Structure formats: structure tokens, C-alpha cells
Short mmCIF file of all heavy atoms in Angstrom, two decimals:
data_model
loop_
_atom_site.label_atom_id
_atom_site.label_comp_id
_atom_site.label_asym_id
_atom_site.label_seq_id
_atom_site.Cartn_x
_atom_site.Cartn_y
_atom_site.Cartn_z
N GLY A 1 111.08 -44.60 130.36
CA GLY A 1 111.36 -45.04 128.99
C GLY A 1 110.58 -46.29 128.61
O GLY A 1 110.31 -46.53 127.44
N LEU A 2 110.22 -47.08 129.60
CA LEU A 2 109.49 -48.33 129.34
C LEU A 2 107.98 -48.14 129.31
O LEU A 2 107.26 -49.04 128.93
CB LEU A 2 109.84 -49.37 130.40
CG LEU A 2 111.27 -49.89 130.37
CD1 LEU A 2 111.53 -50.78 131.56
CD2 LEU A 2 111.54 -50.63 129.07
N ARG A 3 107.51 -46.97 129.71
CA ARG A 3 106.06 -46.74 129.73
C ARG A 3 105.50 -46.76 128.31
O ARG A 3 106.16 -46.39 127.35
CB ARG A 3 105.74 -45.40 130.37
CG ARG A 3 106.08 -45.37 131.84
CD ARG A 3 105.35 -44.23 132.54
NE ARG A 3 105.93 -43.92 133.83
CZ ARG A 3 105.85 -44.69 134.90
NH1 ARG A 3 105.22 -45.84 134.82
NH2 ARG A 3 106.41 -44.34 136.04
N ARG A 4 104.27 -47.18 128.23
CA ARG A 4 103.59 -47.25 126.94
C ARG A 4 103.41 -45.84 126.38
O ARG A 4 103.02 -44.92 127.08
CB ARG A 4 102.24 -47.92 127.13
CG ARG A 4 101.42 -47.98 125.87
CD ARG A 4 100.17 -48.79 126.08
NE ARG A 4 100.37 -50.00 125.31
CZ ARG A 4 99.67 -51.08 125.44
NH1 ARG A 4 98.73 -51.15 126.34
NH2 ARG A 4 99.88 -52.13 124.68
N ARG A 5 103.68 -45.69 125.11
CA ARG A 5 103.53 -44.40 124.45
C ARG A 5 102.19 -44.35 123.72
O ARG A 5 101.68 -45.39 123.30
CB ARG A 5 104.66 -44.20 123.44
CG ARG A 5 106.00 -44.04 124.10
CD ARG A 5 107.09 -43.81 123.04
NE ARG A 5 108.38 -44.20 123.58
CZ ARG A 5 108.93 -45.39 123.43
NH1 ARG A 5 108.32 -46.33 122.75
NH2 ARG A 5 110.09 -45.66 123.96
N PRO A 6 101.65 -43.16 123.53
CA PRO A 6 100.41 -43.06 122.76
C PRO A 6 100.63 -43.55 121.33
O PRO A 6 101.74 -43.44 120.80
CB PRO A 6 100.06 -41.58 122.78
CG PRO A 6 101.09 -40.88 123.56
CD PRO A 6 102.11 -41.88 124.01
N ALA A 7 99.58 -44.07 120.74
CA ALA A 7 99.67 -44.58 119.37
C ALA A 7 100.03 -43.44 118.43
O ALA A 7 99.54 -42.31 118.57
CB ALA A 7 98.35 -45.20 118.96
N THR A 8 100.87 -43.76 117.48
CA THR A 8 101.23 -42.75 116.48
C THR A 8 100.30 -42.91 115.29
O THR A 8 99.55 -43.86 115.18
CB THR A 8 102.69 -42.94 116.03
OG1 THR A 8 102.82 -44.26 115.49
CG2 THR A 8 103.64 -42.77 117.19
N GLY A 9 100.38 -41.99 114.41
CA GLY A 9 99.54 -42.04 113.22
C GLY A 9 98.72 -40.78 113.10
O GLY A 9 98.78 -39.88 113.94
N ARG A 10 97.95 -40.76 112.04
CA ARG A 10 97.13 -39.59 111.78
C ARG A 10 96.04 -39.46 112.84
O ARG A 10 95.36 -40.43 113.16
CB ARG A 10 96.51 -39.75 110.40
CG ARG A 10 95.72 -38.56 109.96
CD ARG A 10 95.10 -38.82 108.59
NE ARG A 10 94.44 -37.63 108.16
CZ ARG A 10 94.60 -37.09 106.98
NH1 ARG A 10 95.38 -37.65 106.10
NH2 ARG A 10 93.95 -36.00 106.65
N PRO A 11 95.85 -38.27 113.37
CA PRO A 11 94.77 -38.09 114.35
C PRO A 11 93.41 -38.22 113.66
O PRO A 11 93.29 -37.95 112.46
CB PRO A 11 94.99 -36.67 114.87
CG PRO A 11 95.80 -35.99 113.83
CD PRO A 11 96.61 -37.04 113.14
N PRO A 12 92.38 -38.62 114.39
CA PRO A 12 91.06 -38.77 113.77
C PRO A 12 90.53 -37.42 113.27
O PRO A 12 90.83 -36.37 113.84
CB PRO A 12 90.19 -39.31 114.90
CG PRO A 12 90.98 -39.20 116.14
CD PRO A 12 92.40 -38.98 115.80
N LYS A 13 89.75 -37.47 112.20
CA LYS A 13 89.20 -36.24 111.63
C LYS A 13 88.12 -35.62 112.52
O LYS A 13 87.89 -34.42 112.48
CB LYS A 13 88.60 -36.52 110.24
CG LYS A 13 89.63 -36.75 109.17
CD LYS A 13 88.95 -36.89 107.82
CE LYS A 13 89.98 -37.00 106.71
NZ LYS A 13 89.34 -37.06 105.39
N LEU A 14 87.45 -36.47 113.31
CA LEU A 14 86.38 -35.98 114.18
C LEU A 14 86.83 -36.08 115.64
O LEU A 14 87.29 -37.13 116.07
CB LEU A 14 85.11 -36.81 113.99
CG LEU A 14 84.48 -36.80 112.60
CD1 LEU A 14 83.28 -37.73 112.57
CD2 LEU A 14 84.09 -35.41 112.19
N ASP A 15 86.67 -34.99 116.38
CA ASP A 15 86.99 -35.05 117.80
C ASP A 15 85.79 -35.64 118.55
O ASP A 15 84.74 -35.91 117.96
CB ASP A 15 87.39 -33.67 118.35
CG ASP A 15 86.30 -32.62 118.22
OD1 ASP A 15 85.10 -33.00 118.21
OD2 ASP A 15 86.62 -31.43 118.14
N ASP A 16 85.95 -35.84 119.84
CA ASP A 16 84.90 -36.50 120.63
C ASP A 16 83.58 -35.73 120.62
O ASP A 16 82.50 -36.32 120.57
CB ASP A 16 85.37 -36.72 122.07
CG ASP A 16 86.49 -37.74 122.17
OD1 ASP A 16 86.63 -38.56 121.22
OD2 ASP A 16 87.22 -37.74 123.18
N ALA A 17 83.65 -34.40 120.66
CA ALA A 17 82.42 -33.59 120.65
C ALA A 17 81.69 -33.74 119.33
O ALA A 17 80.45 -33.85 119.30
CB ALA A 17 82.77 -32.12 120.90
N GLN A 18 82.43 -33.78 118.22
CA GLN A 18 81.80 -33.97 116.92
C GLN A 18 81.17 -35.36 116.81
O GLN A 18 80.08 -35.51 116.25
CB GLN A 18 82.83 -33.77 115.80
CG GLN A 18 83.27 -32.34 115.63
CD GLN A 18 84.42 -32.22 114.65
OE1 GLN A 18 85.38 -32.98 114.71
NE2 GLN A 18 84.31 -31.27 113.73
N VAL A 19 81.85 -36.37 117.34
CA VAL A 19 81.30 -37.72 117.31
C VAL A 19 79.99 -37.78 118.08
O VAL A 19 79.02 -38.41 117.65
CB VAL A 19 82.33 -38.75 117.86
CG1 VAL A 19 81.68 -40.12 118.04
CG2 VAL A 19 83.53 -38.84 116.94
N GLU A 20 79.91 -37.10 119.20
CA GLU A 20 78.67 -37.08 119.98
C GLU A 20 77.56 -36.35 119.24
O GLU A 20 76.40 -36.74 119.31
CB GLU A 20 78.90 -36.48 121.36
CG GLU A 20 79.64 -37.41 122.30
CD GLU A 20 79.01 -38.80 122.37
OE1 GLU A 20 77.78 -38.91 122.57
OE2 GLU A 20 79.75 -39.79 122.22
N ARG A 21 77.90 -35.28 118.51
CA ARG A 21 76.89 -34.59 117.70
C ARG A 21 76.38 -35.51 116.58
O ARG A 21 75.18 -35.53 116.29
CB ARG A 21 77.46 -33.30 117.11
CG ARG A 21 77.66 -32.22 118.16
CD ARG A 21 77.72 -30.80 117.61
NE ARG A 21 78.39 -30.61 116.35
CZ ARG A 21 79.64 -30.17 116.20
NH1 ARG A 21 80.37 -29.87 117.25
NH2 ARG A 21 80.15 -30.02 115.00
N VAL A 22 77.29 -36.27 116.00
CA VAL A 22 76.89 -37.23 114.96
C VAL A 22 75.99 -38.30 115.57
O VAL A 22 74.96 -38.66 114.99
CB VAL A 22 78.14 -37.87 114.29
CG1 VAL A 22 77.75 -39.06 113.43
CG2 VAL A 22 78.89 -36.83 113.47
N ARG A 23 76.36 -38.83 116.75
CA ARG A 23 75.54 -39.85 117.42
C ARG A 23 74.11 -39.32 117.65
O ARG A 23 73.13 -39.99 117.35
CB ARG A 23 76.15 -40.25 118.75
CG ARG A 23 75.32 -41.30 119.51
CD ARG A 23 75.76 -41.51 120.95
NE ARG A 23 77.17 -41.74 121.11
CZ ARG A 23 77.76 -42.94 121.03
NH1 ARG A 23 77.03 -44.01 120.80
NH2 ARG A 23 79.06 -43.06 121.21
N THR A 24 74.01 -38.11 118.16
CA THR A 24 72.71 -37.50 118.42
C THR A 24 71.90 -37.38 117.13
O THR A 24 70.70 -37.69 117.10
CB THR A 24 72.88 -36.12 119.08
OG1 THR A 24 73.62 -36.29 120.29
CG2 THR A 24 71.55 -35.48 119.38
N ALA A 25 72.56 -36.94 116.07
CA ALA A 25 71.87 -36.78 114.78
C ALA A 25 71.39 -38.12 114.24
O ALA A 25 70.26 -38.25 113.76
CB ALA A 25 72.80 -36.11 113.78
N LEU A 26 72.22 -39.16 114.35
CA LEU A 26 71.85 -40.47 113.83
C LEU A 26 70.72 -41.10 114.65
O LEU A 26 69.87 -41.81 114.10
CB LEU A 26 73.06 -41.40 113.80
CG LEU A 26 74.20 -41.00 112.85
CD1 LEU A 26 75.35 -41.99 112.96
CD2 LEU A 26 73.71 -40.89 111.42
N GLU A 27 70.71 -40.85 115.94
CA GLU A 27 69.66 -41.40 116.79
C GLU A 27 68.29 -40.80 116.50
O GLU A 27 67.27 -41.37 116.85
CB GLU A 27 70.02 -41.24 118.27
CG GLU A 27 71.13 -42.18 118.70
CD GLU A 27 71.64 -41.93 120.11
OE1 GLU A 27 71.30 -40.88 120.71
OE2 GLU A 27 72.39 -42.79 120.61
N GLN A 28 68.26 -39.66 115.82
CA GLN A 28 66.98 -39.05 115.43
C GLN A 28 66.32 -39.84 114.31
O GLN A 28 65.12 -39.71 114.09
CB GLN A 28 67.20 -37.61 114.96
CG GLN A 28 67.65 -36.69 116.05
CD GLN A 28 68.07 -35.33 115.52
OE1 GLN A 28 68.13 -35.11 114.30
NE2 GLN A 28 68.36 -34.41 116.43
N GLY A 29 67.08 -40.64 113.60
CA GLY A 29 66.54 -41.45 112.51
C GLY A 29 66.79 -40.81 111.16
O GLY A 29 67.00 -39.60 111.05
N ALA A 30 66.77 -41.63 110.14
CA ALA A 30 67.06 -41.16 108.78
C ALA A 30 65.97 -40.23 108.25
O ALA A 30 66.26 -39.26 107.54
CB ALA A 30 67.26 -42.36 107.84
#
């Protein structure tokens, strides 16, 4: 009962795989 609980709130719109795809796209340059 005393253990830390995960943060509540709205989950992020982008999952980790999508964030990595965005990172790859941005690193290509504008």
C-alpha cells in the first residue's frame, strides 16, 4: 500500500515507437 503508484492522468498521445519515428524524421532535417 505504501509503494509508489504510477502517475495518473491522460496517457500520452504518442507511444515510444512513434516518438522514435518522429526523432528519426526530425534528425533528417527540415
Side-chain angles (χ1 to χ4, degrees):
L2 292 173
R3 293 199 197 289
R4 177 174 250 164
R5 292 181 204 94
T8 59
R10 184 181 184 131
K13 287 185 175 183
L14 299 177
D15 61 28
D16 291 340
Q18 289 172 314
V19 170
E20 286 309 310
R21 288 202 323 260
V22 168
R23 179 192 309 273
T24 302
L26 295 178
E27 287 173 348
Q28 293 171 354

